[in-house]
Amino acid sequence: MTRKLKKSYRFALRSSLYITLFATTILTALLYFFGIKNVLVPILFFALCFTFCFFILQFRVERFIYRRVKKIYDDVTLLDVSDFHNYPITTDMATLTKEIEKFATNKKLEIETLKIRENYRKEFIGNVSHELKTPLFTVQGYILTLLDGAMDDKAIRKKYLNRAGKGVERLIYIVKDLDMITKLEAGDLNLDTEEFDIIELVQSVFDLLEMKAAKKRISLAFDMNYSKPIIVKADKERIQQVLTNLIVNSIKYGRENGTTEISVENLIRNKVIVRVTDNGEGIEAEDIPRLFERFYRVDKSRARKEGGSGLGLSIVKHIIEAHNERIYVESEYDVGSEFSFTLEKVE
């Protein structure tokens, strides 16, 4: 592909000037030595010498540099760098050096980003395969056992079919969560916003999870008595899912005889912040930045025993961000955790 040449005359001009000044000085000295005192000769010589040197240097140096610089551009073009496609070839070394340095910096950042994404992709695929493998192998094991003869025993058949059914339910649960988070990330999940009382919604979630909390003797409560409704504008069903996921997590990792407390506070004039606070086992500081990653678990062995898809907090984050709101987490290991998120308040 032919390229337009962006010429640089600086080198030829300076070099021609230096050569001409030197030659004119020598000529003037020789003329003076031989007694020739004609001022026009040095002036004419200066003009002719400068012009000749300039064109010779410009032509030769341009061709010399052009061949080598063109090879650099051609080599860079092989890397399919669009930044270089939009500029003509320059023989100015300073400009070329800046372009190459800029290219190298951008390429380094791009490579580092790709490495991070590759590591994330590998970890994500490993987590997905692990999450799906466990219930699949469980279902397969029970079915194969039944096919090998256990089906003739009615008691075993019923028990094994029930366990296989639970494995299938877990698979469906994981796939549904994956489908939802994919839609959230792609922006395909439309929000059905409406005005509703957040206090009433929290109470309904408390009622739904009351038995689950009672098994660990964890009390679900507000931080105070909210006598008046607090009206917010959001997708009620999605916010219920956010509250459910956060409260289920606080129960799952809470201590027996512990508490999970909800507070709703005014943040600014048209914003409220909903806080979900517990006195559970807390989270190590190094785990907090990765809490909202898909399938990331703080305590992998215990978390899988507790069930869940490993996508709960990731879904929470995406739902809140889909509302153009923010979610925060504060935690101290062995003390407790607090998850909070903002919502638009209706005056």
Side-chain angles (χ1 to χ4, degrees), residues 108-124:
K108 184 179 178 182
L109 291 172
E110 183 180 343
I111 290 170
E112 289 176 352
T113 302
L114 288 173
K115 285 181 179 178
I116 293 171
R117 288 180 179 177
E118 177 65 13
N119 291 334
Y120 178 76
R121 184 188 67 82
K122 288 179 180 177
E123 185 176 348
F124 174 68

Side-chain angles (χ1 to χ4, degrees), residues 232-248:
V232 297
K233 187 176 182 180
D235 187 320
K236 186 175 182 179
E237 183 180 346
R238 300 302 172 198
I239 297 303
Q240 181 174 358
Q241 186 175 7
V242 167
L243 289 167
T244 301
N245 286 356
L246 292 178
I247 295 172
V248 165

Side-chain angles (χ1 to χ4, degrees), residues 90-136:
T90 176
T91 56
D92 182 3
M93 290 297 102
T95 303
L96 178 62
T97 301
K98 288 180 181 178
E99 289 183 5
I100 295 296
E101 287 177 351
K102 181 182 177 183
F103 159 73
T105 302
N106 291 339
K107 210 61 185 168
K108 184 179 178 182
L109 291 172
E110 183 180 343
I111 290 170
E112 289 176 352
T113 302
L114 288 173
K115 285 181 179 178
I116 293 171
R117 288 180 179 177
E118 177 65 13
N119 291 334
Y120 178 76
R121 184 188 67 82
K122 288 179 180 177
E123 185 176 348
F124 174 68
I125 291 174
N127 284 330
V128 170
S129 62
H130 185 91
E131 294 293 340
L132 295 177
K133 181 174 64 177
T134 302
L136 276 173

Side-chain angles (χ1 to χ4, degrees), residues 139-153 156-157 160-161 164:
V139 173
Q140 182 187 44
Y142 287 129
I143 292 175
L144 289 176
T145 303
L146 290 171
L147 292 174
D148 285 341
M151 188 166 43
D152 297 331
D153 189 322
I156 294 178
R157 180 173 63 198
Y160 280 16
L161 285 174

Side-chain angles (χ1 to χ4, degrees), residues 143-252:
I143 292 175
L144 289 176
T145 303
L146 290 171
L147 292 174
D148 285 341
M151 188 166 43
D152 297 331
D153 189 322
K154 290 184 179 180
I156 294 178
R157 180 173 63 198
K158 184 176 180 180
K159 181 172 70 174
Y160 280 16
L161 285 174
N162 283 332
R163 291 180 179 178
K166 289 180 180 179
V168 172
E169 286 177 4
R170 176 161 169 74
L171 279 172
I172 294 171
Y173 184 67
I174 293 171
V175 171
K176 280 184 176 179
D177 277 358
L178 276 172
D179 180 59
M180 174 175 289
I181 203 167
T182 301
K183 288 180 179 178
L184 285 166
E185 289 179 346
D188 294 336
L189 195 65
N190 295 323
L191 297 177
D192 184 16
T193 57
E194 60 179 298
E195 297 181 3
F196 60 92
D197 181 7
I198 188 66
I199 302 300
E200 182 183 344
L201 184 64
V202 171
Q203 186 59 59
S204 68
V205 175
F206 279 170
D207 295 340
L208 288 171
L209 300 175
E210 184 179 9
M211 292 183 65
K212 189 177 186 69
K215 289 180 180 178
K216 293 186 71 172
R217 295 191 289 277
I218 291 176
S219 61
L220 307 177
F222 287 101
D223 65 319
M224 57 178 283
N225 181 29
Y226 291 91
S227 56
K228 295 181 179 180
I230 299 176
I231 307 300
V232 297
K233 187 176 182 180
D235 187 320
K236 186 175 182 179
E237 183 180 346
R238 300 302 172 198
I239 297 303
Q240 181 174 358
Q241 186 175 7
V242 167
L243 289 167
T244 301
N245 286 356
L246 292 178
I247 295 172
V248 165
N249 265 10
S250 72
I251 295 171
K252 188 186 298 183

Side-chain angles (χ1 to χ4, degrees), residues 39-92:
V39 180
L40 292 175
V41 174
I43 294 174
L44 183 62
F45 176 82
F46 182 92
L48 292 173
C49 182
F50 180 82
T51 304
F52 177 77
C53 289
F54 173 76
F55 282 108
I56 291 297
L57 285 171
Q58 181 64 25
F59 178 74
R60 293 298 300 166
V61 170
E62 182 180 276
R63 289 198 60 184
F64 175 79
I65 295 177
Y66 178 77
R67 286 196 299 267
R68 284 153 180 77
V69 170
K70 184 176 183 299
K71 187 177 186 310
I72 294 174
Y73 276 90
D74 290 342
D75 291 342
V76 171
T77 302
L78 292 175
L79 298 174
D80 193 25
V81 184
S82 59
D83 291 345
F84 283 93
H85 292 168
N86 300 324
Y87 296 100
I89 293 178
T90 176
T91 56
D92 182 3

Side-chain angles (χ1 to χ4, degrees), residues 294-306:
R294 289 176 290 185
F295 294 113
Y296 185 77
R297 299 177 187 270
V298 175
D299 183 351
K300 291 180 169 37
S301 58
R302 182 180 173 188
R304 288 196 170 94
K305 289 178 183 177
E306 295 283 352

